C-alpha cells in the first residue's frame, strides 16, 4: 500500500543519512521550546528528549548508527 511504502521510504532515508543523535536531540529541543511558547504539552517528546540526553551523555552522539524506535 502507499502508506507502507511511505513508511519504508522514510525509514530507509533516515537509516541511509548522516542524521546523528545530536541532530535529533537538537530538533526535539526546538519542538519543546515551541511547545512551551504556545503552551502545548508534548509528554512523549519530553520523554524521548530525556532518553536522547542519556544516550548523548553515554557518548552516542556523532554516529548515525544509533536508532530509537
Amino acid at each position: 500500500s502507499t502508506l507502507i511504502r511511505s513508511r519504508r521510504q522514510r525509514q530507509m532515508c533516515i537509516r541511509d543519512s548522516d542524521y546523528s543523535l545530536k541532530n535529533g536531540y537538537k530538533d526535539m529541543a526546538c519542538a519543546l521550546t515551541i511547545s512551551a511558547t504556545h503552551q502545548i504539552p508534548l509528554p512523549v517528546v519530553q520523554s524521548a528528549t530525556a532518553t536522547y540526553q542519556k544516550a548523548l551523555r553515554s557518548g552516542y552522539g556523532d554516529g548515525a548508527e544509533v536508532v530509537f524506535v
Side-chain angles (χ1 to χ4, degrees):
S1 81
T2 304
L3 179 60
I4 292 172
R5 239 180 313 201
S6 295
R7 283 185 188 161
R8 284 188 188 146
Q9 288 170 347
R10 282 194 304 263
Q11 289 170 346
M12 288 171 47
C13 180
I14 290 171
R15 265 188 250 144
D16 293 340
S17 73
D18 290 328
Y19 191 73
S20 70
L21 194 68
K22 284 182 182 178
N23 290 332
Y25 174 77
K26 180 187 71 163
D27 292 346
M28 286 189 288
C30 288
L32 288 176
T33 300
I34 293 168
S35 73
T37 300
H38 296 285
Q39 299 177 347
I40 302 168
L42 296 176
V44 174
V45 176
Q46 289 173 328
S47 296
T49 302
T51 301
Y52 271 57
Q53 286 174 335
K54 289 178 187 177
L56 288 169
R57 283 192 300 268
S58 297
Y60 300 103
D62 293 320
E65 70 278 355
V66 178
V67 177
F68 288 102
V69 179

